[in-house]
Amino acid sequence: MNYTFEILGVSPTLSFFNQQQELLQQQQPSGVEYLGNRKCTLDSFVASVEIVSPYRGWDVDRVVDTVISFWFHNSESIEYWKHRLQDAGSENLLVARVGDIKSLQAAFESLLGE
């Protein structure tokens, strides 16, 4: 299975929590997980994916490798989001998405009505 990781943006903590609750109430499990962290560090996101990967049945090592690869290939984007998170203040989280590529593709196709 192939995985993808990307930083989506900054969100108020309460909004992120509410969105997570809505996703939990959906009947259909998806192969996508949204992560919220107070710090823009590789360590914080690796720790997050290590927690959710076994729950999802994902290959932990491959998911961690995906996050590390993103981190090494997107330094400008990471710096940008690091500054946006600092500017937003302590009541906000940096939100990222991790998931298996097939599930993410299926989610996008359902949005497009295909």
Side-chain angles (χ1 to χ4, degrees), residues 1 3-4 7 17 26 39 52 56 64-65 69 72 79 84-85 87 89-91 103 109:
M1 189 176 304
Y3 301 96
T4 181
I7 296 175
F17 176 78
Q26 291 180 353
K39 296 180 182 178
V52 300
R56 294 284 188 173
V64 168
D65 287 346
S69 177
F72 284 129
E79 281 300 312
R84 297 298 67 80
L85 181 61
D87 292 344
S90 63
E91 296 298 317
S103 292
E109 287 174 355

Side-chain angles (χ1 to χ4, degrees), residues 15-103:
S15 294
F16 179 75
F17 176 78
N18 287 335
Q19 182 66 31
Q20 290 293 89
Q21 293 302 310
E22 288 177 22
L23 290 173
L24 285 173
Q25 293 175 2
Q26 291 180 353
Q27 296 295 328
Q28 302 174 27
S30 74
V32 178
E33 186 74 37
Y34 294 90
L35 311 169
N37 281 303
R38 293 193 185 280
K39 296 180 182 178
C40 183
T41 65
L42 174 59
D43 290 345
S44 65
F45 282 107
V46 166
S48 294
V49 299
E50 286 177 334
I51 291 169
V52 300
S53 294
Y55 167 74
R56 294 284 188 173
W58 294 339
D59 180 336
V60 177
D61 292 335
R62 290 189 71 186
V63 177
V64 168
D65 287 346
T66 300
V67 174
I68 292 170
S69 177
F70 175 89
W71 221 260
F72 284 129
H73 293 101
N74 295 283
S75 60
E76 288 181 19
S77 174
I78 291 164
E79 281 300 312
Y80 172 82
W81 288 114
K82 187 175 197 175
H83 291 297
R84 297 298 67 80
L85 181 61
Q86 289 172 344
D87 292 344
S90 63
E91 296 298 317
N92 293 279
L93 301 171
L94 185 62
V95 178
R97 177 179 55 217
V98 64
D100 72 82
I101 290 177
K102 287 184 181 182
S103 292

